[in-house]
Amino acid sequence: MDPNFWLERWENNHLGWHQDQAHPMLVKYLPQVVEDSGARIFLPLCGKTLDIGWLRTQGYNVVGAELSEIAVKQLFENAGVTPEITEHGSLKSYSARQINVFVGDIFDVTIDLLSSVDVVFDRAALVALPEDMRNRYAQHLAEITQMAPQLLISFEYDQNVMAGPPFSVPQAEITRLYEQNYEMSLLTDEDVAGGLKGICPAREQAWKLTKR
Ligand SMILES: C[S@@+](CC[C@H](N)C(=O)[O-])C[C@H]1O[C@@H](n2cnc3c(N)ncnc32)[C@H](O)[C@@H]1O
């Protein structure tokens, strides 16, 4: 997907995915994926999600990756902290106590740069990517996180009714993408109240992935 699609969304403040509270499935299911409240948790394609603020209040250390510098500036402004900004090749790193966000293409984030993470929270990351990028994304994520456990949120709906993003990523595809590297369990499978974007009947699922 063309990076400009996302950069223009941020420039024009068209952020339909952004929620005004921490994701309820994060709050409910994270304890099933990670026990240590001081753990280091990676949020790929993090935007300026309020999940990060919630995780900090719970004592977690958060690391994110996000294409848009506008998003990351807003994230730190909202958190009320002044970041230290450093450059790492094509990426910038914004960091402050308990938060470190890499600005740039997630595919440029390496194991060395990311350093060790204890858990991954994927909300609106896999499902933000078109089908032809999802295989590469899943492989890259497994590689740079060394198959850290994941809490993954996905959507399933009739892609003929609505174009993504978010894209429908059916259970069979999630299994195909991840079963080679992870044990998988479906934590919940719920109706999206009112439909996706208020128009399309959809299911929202939460998965726990743990390294095989
Ligand atoms: C649908 S939004 C989800 C944001 C966040 N996870 C949330 O729940 O609010 C997808 C985000 O991924 C970012 N993004 C898209 N492609 C990316 C890439 N290749 N590398 C890093 N970030 C990317 C976009 O700028 C956008 O902020």
Side-chain angles (χ1 to χ4, degrees):
M1 183 174 255
D2 183 351
N4 286 326
F5 171 87
W6 295 106
L7 296 174
E8 284 169 13
R9 289 293 192 98
W10 282 102
E11 276 159 22
N12 299 317
N13 202 32
H14 289 162
L15 311 176
W17 64 82
H18 183 70
Q19 297 193 334
D20 58 8
Q21 59 175 10
H23 197 290
M25 289 180 181
L26 171 68
V27 175
K28 186 164 181 185
Y29 294 108
L30 189 65
Q32 293 192 28
V33 183
V34 62
E35 283 168 13
D36 174 8
S37 67
R40 190 161 187 261
I41 179 162
F42 179 47
L43 281 69
L45 282 65
C46 62
K48 59 171 181 176
T49 177
L50 299 186
D51 297 334
I52 291 179
W54 180 81
L55 286 162
R56 288 177 73 220
T57 64
Q58 302 302 303
Y60 291 99
N61 292 294
V62 180
V63 55
E66 167 55 49
L67 199 56
S68 163
E69 194 160 15
I70 294 174
V72 178
K73 283 186 171 154
Q74 291 182 9
L75 173 65
F76 279 80
E77 273 166 30
N78 295 345
V81 286
T82 305
E84 182 189 339
I85 304 170
T86 52
E87 299 208 357
H88 304 267
S90 63
L91 300 169
K92 281 186 187 173
S93 161
Y94 276 53
S95 65
R97 198 171 63 83
Q98 277 184 278
I99 327 182
N100 178 201
V101 180
F102 292 103
V103 183
D105 188 346
I106 190 163
F107 295 106
D108 291 339
V109 175
T110 60
I111 300 185
D112 288 346
L113 217 44
L114 184 61
S115 191
S116 160
V117 295
D118 301 303
V119 61
V120 176
F121 178 53
D122 178 331
R123 188 261 163 180
L126 177 69
V127 300
L129 300 173
E131 192 173 6
D132 62 359
M133 286 181 76
R134 293 198 285 262
N135 195 40
R136 182 177 171 218
Y137 167 80
Q139 292 298 324
H140 181 66
L141 189 60
E143 183 192 322
I144 62 175
T145 65
Q146 298 174 77
M147 293 174 220
Q150 290 195 39
L151 176 59
L152 163 65
I153 313 284
S154 59
F155 287 118
E156 198 162 4
Y157 63 91
D158 183 351
Q159 195 76 88
N160 296 314
V161 174
M162 201 188 81
F167 296 98
S168 175
V169 186
Q171 297 196 26
E173 182 179 342
I174 303 254
T175 304
R176 183 180 60 71
L177 289 172
Y178 287 116
E179 76 173 345
Q180 197 185 343
N181 293 327
Y182 301 89
E183 301 283 354
M184 310 181 47
S185 70
L186 185 59
L187 299 172
T188 190
D189 180 3
E190 302 174 9
D191 251 334
V192 175
L196 206 51
K197 298 189 179 172
I199 53 169
C200 181
R203 310 280 301 170
E204 188 172 28
Q205 287 126 5
W207 298 85
K208 174 182 176 178
L209 311 185
T210 45
K211 185 178 175 181
R212 277 190 183 279

